[in-house]
Amino acid sequence: MAEKLSAVKGMNDILPPESARWEWLEDKVRGLMARYAYRSIRTPVVEPTQLFVRGTGQTTDIVEKEMYSFEDRLNGEQLTLRPENTPGVVRAAIEHNLTYDGGKRLYYMGPMFRHERPQRGRYRQFYQLGAEVLGHPGPEVDAELMVLAHQLFTELGLSDIRVEMNSLGVPAERQAHRAALVAYFEQHRDLLDGDAQRRLHTNPLRILDTKNPAMQEMVQGAPQLLAYLGEASLRHLDTVKALLDACGVRWSINPRLVRGLDYYSHTVFEFITDQLGAQGTLCGGGRYDGLFEVLGGKPTPAVGWGMGLERVLELLREQGAAATAPVPDAYAIVPDAQALPQAMQVLRALRAAGVSVQMHAGSAEGMGSMKSQFKKADGSGARYALVFGADELAAGEVTVKALRDGVGAQQRQSLGTAADWAASLRP
């Protein structure tokens, strides 16, 4: 026998009935995005490696440790499976001059790839939902994006999710804060771990995001960026706060929140739960007004967030808010294979009229007994069984039998008027 092959570790198959939960979540997302007037964007899974080196940041964990990168054997081009999608969206916006006629509200759903140790809610191929607003500089879109994420969690039935935010100000303010941070950490160099020592003069802001327990007390005493913000940056942050208050979104300021990517400015935020252990950040994002220029475009304000769909589905399980798996409206019972041509004609008409129908499939020995077919009809979850028996077909009819509400009740319907009685089969 040939060797059995398995999926790559951390890259998982999503099979029925679990796939139905994903479809339910995706439908919720699409409906909400349409109501907020966000439009779908789809970018390639493979991008030039330099897109992430420049856009995500040379000293980030993603670029240093986690990217799946390779050389194209055809032309020697350095390529990477996307570890996130904000740089890809900005690259597409620059390449196609997307904001030439004004700002854009966009969203995407799709796979991302990071080479890290698989754990609960964190996989090497994972699925991310993102929302990006390009071309609008005002704090109102920062708040709108946070309200959008909050509304999604509400419509999914999730609770106990807190919102933390901070401001990273503008580059000049961050530079002043950076100098103060370097001086402070230099004074405590003996407490810095290897990663922190390496980042001290390249990206000291990331040290504030350390998960090392031995450094927590020292980091708590570091200078806070909020103390270096000017009047305009503080006004931007205050407006975001006020708009969230007006929309009933509870928030708190976390002065240590810096996010993990280099392109943020002004507002940064995270939606966090305590029910998923170390993987408790469900959604994170912020404003990245400088990214267009870094990637070769004209100065363009932008803000967005990313949300891990596996973590959202895991939290749905934890909170008992799991989606209901879809079931067919009807199940077609076909006692004799000779009835299949007429049965399939009727089922095609019903499906065209919006009815979900599962047709019984026979085996090499035949279609199976009526008893076994009714058992499968009941197991399918369908509300009705459609019986295409010899007596029914001779009369040009089908028997419609209730399997749930009014169990056992049945009536005959004409084969030629399937579209007319289709509505009665739907909930």
Side-chain angles (χ1 to χ4, degrees), residues 102-259:
K104 294 291 184 291
R105 288 171 164 86
L106 307 169
Y107 80 95
Y108 55 84
M109 287 188 285
M112 312 292 158
F113 303 85
R114 296 186 189 177
H115 192 279
E116 53 187 346
R117 183 172 62 86
Q119 51 192 296
R120 182 187 188 190
R122 190 169 189 167
Y123 305 104
R124 290 175 174 173
Q125 177 176 315
F126 61 98
Y127 290 81
Q128 192 172 79
L129 163 66
E132 315 282 355
V133 179
L134 311 179
H136 295 294
E140 67 278 359
V141 290
D142 302 25
E144 178 185 89
L145 276 162
M146 296 171 73
V147 172
L148 172 61
H150 183 272
Q151 184 65 32
L152 178 59
F153 291 134
T154 299
E155 294 191 7
L156 294 176
L158 295 172
S159 58
D160 298 322
I161 298 172
R162 68 181 184 275
V163 181
E164 295 183 356
M165 66 176 174
N166 193 19
S167 175
L168 301 184
V170 297
E173 294 159 354
R174 288 200 302 282
Q175 282 298 109
H177 176 244
R178 183 185 187 280
L181 271 185
V182 171
Y184 175 81
F185 289 135
E186 287 278 15
Q187 296 172 9
H188 300 85
R189 182 182 280 271
D190 56 325
L191 297 176
L192 300 180
D193 60 20
D195 277 347
Q197 296 229 13
R198 182 169 47 82
R199 288 173 172 152
L200 179 57
H201 292 286
T202 58
N203 194 353
L205 201 64
R206 288 295 316 284
I207 301 176
L208 299 176
D209 201 29
T210 180
K211 303 298 187 292
N212 186 344
M215 292 175 53
Q216 292 300 319
E217 184 176 352
M218 180 271 294
V219 166
Q220 288 299 317
Q224 295 186 8
L225 181 52
L226 289 172
Y228 293 81
L229 297 184
E231 182 180 345
S233 291
L234 289 172
R235 186 166 57 248
H236 188 108
L237 180 60
D238 287 343
T239 302
V240 174
K241 294 177 183 177
L243 292 172
L244 293 179
D245 288 340
C247 293
V249 177
R250 297 176 60 187
W251 54 269
S252 63
I253 293 292
N254 178 358
R256 303 299 172 201
L257 177 60
V258 297
R259 299 292 295 151

Side-chain angles (χ1 to χ4, degrees), residues 224-404:
Q224 295 186 8
L225 181 52
L226 289 172
Y228 293 81
L229 297 184
E231 182 180 345
S233 291
L234 289 172
R235 186 166 57 248
H236 188 108
L237 180 60
D238 287 343
T239 302
V240 174
K241 294 177 183 177
L243 292 172
L244 293 179
D245 288 340
C247 293
V249 177
R250 297 176 60 187
W251 54 269
S252 63
I253 293 292
N254 178 358
R256 303 299 172 201
L257 177 60
V258 297
R259 299 292 295 151
L261 308 176
D262 287 355
Y263 49 57
Y264 285 114
S265 61
H266 282 304
T267 314
V268 290
F269 55 86
E270 290 184 348
F271 287 72
I272 303 170
T273 177
D274 293 322
Q275 297 180 30
L276 296 180
Q279 307 306 322
T281 301
L282 298 170
C283 173
R287 180 164 283 280
Y288 50 94
D289 288 348
L291 185 56
F292 272 75
E293 290 176 89
V294 169
L295 296 180
K298 299 176 182 178
T300 305
V303 58
W305 52 248
M307 182 183 299
L309 295 183
E310 284 91 347
R311 295 185 190 182
V312 173
L313 288 165
E314 185 69 24
L315 188 59
L316 283 166
R317 292 189 192 92
E318 286 288 323
Q319 296 191 357
T324 302
V327 296
D329 299 320
Y331 188 101
I333 291 175
V334 187
D336 191 321
Q338 292 183 354
L340 283 172
Q342 286 179 285
M344 293 186 72
Q345 287 180 7
V346 173
L347 300 188
R348 184 180 182 186
L350 290 173
R351 289 162 179 158
V355 178
S356 168
V357 189
Q358 179 178 338
M359 187 181 76
H360 178 74
S363 66
E365 287 73 37
M367 298 302 292
S369 68
M370 290 278 284
K371 181 178 180 180
S372 67
Q373 291 196 42
F374 266 108
K375 185 175 181 180
K376 290 184 177 180
D378 187 58
S380 74
R383 297 175 64 234
Y384 296 98
L386 308 181
V387 183
F388 293 86
D391 292 343
E392 286 90 349
L393 295 181
E397 296 175 335
V398 60
T399 295
V400 182
K401 184 174 183 178
L403 299 175
R404 302 286 178 263

